Amino acid sequence: RVLAEDVAKLRSEQRAGPTLFVAKSFLLSMQDLVKVLSTAEPHFVRCIKPNTTKKANDFMGGVTLQQLHCLSVFEALALSRKGFAIRMEFVDFVGKYEEQF
C-alpha cells in the first residue's frame, strides 16, 4: 500500500532528473516484484549436487552430506520436528512485516 502511494506520487510529479529517474525506476520495479510475489506461493529450494564429476548415477555420499550440513538442512529438520514448522500464509506474512518495509 505504501509502495503504491509512493509510485503514484512519483508518477504525478513532472520534474525530471537522474535522481528522480532512478527512484522512479526502483519503485516501479518494486511494484512489479510485489505483484509477482502476491500471486506466488513461496517455496524454498535447496539444490544438492550428488557428485563432483557431473555424471549421472554417480552418487558421492560424503559430498552430498557436506552440502546438507552447509545448507542447514539437518537444522531445519530438527526445528520442524520440535514443532517450529510454521507455514505462514503470504497475506499473513505481509501483514506481519508490512510496517518494516
Side-chain angles (χ1 to χ4, degrees), residues 7 9 12 15 23 30 36 38 43 65-66 76-78 88 92:
V7 171
K9 181 180 175 184
S12 67
R15 62 185 185 152
M30 293 308 298
V36 170
S38 66
H43 294 284
L65 185 62
Q66 180 183 13
L77 290 172
M88 192 180 302
D92 298 332

Side-chain angles (χ1 to χ4, degrees), residues 64-95:
T64 305
L65 185 62
Q66 180 183 13
Q67 291 176 70
L68 292 171
H69 279 293
C70 291
L71 291 169
S72 302
V73 171
F74 295 119
E75 290 81 359
L77 290 172
L79 286 172
S80 178
R81 285 188 194 131
K82 291 182 180 181
F84 295 102
I86 298 174
R87 301 196 191 282
M88 192 180 302
E89 292 291 326
F90 182 74
V91 174
D92 298 332
F93 176 83
V94 170

Side-chain angles (χ1 to χ4, degrees), residues 24-81:
K24 184 175 181 178
S25 296
F26 176 75
L27 285 174
L28 291 174
S29 175
M30 293 308 298
Q31 184 181 37
D32 291 341
L33 177 61
V34 168
K35 284 180 187 176
V36 170
L37 290 175
S38 66
T39 61
E41 196 171 312
H43 294 284
F44 297 95
V45 177
R46 292 182 172 114
C47 296
I48 307 289
K49 295 179 183 176
N51 59 54
T52 56
T53 60
K54 298 183 182 181
K55 292 181 182 176
N57 301 320
D58 184 14
F59 181 78
M60 297 177 169
V63 172
T64 305
L65 185 62
Q66 180 183 13
Q67 291 176 70
L68 292 171
H69 279 293
C70 291
L71 291 169
S72 302
V73 171
F74 295 119
E75 290 81 359
L77 290 172
L79 286 172
S80 178
R81 285 188 194 131

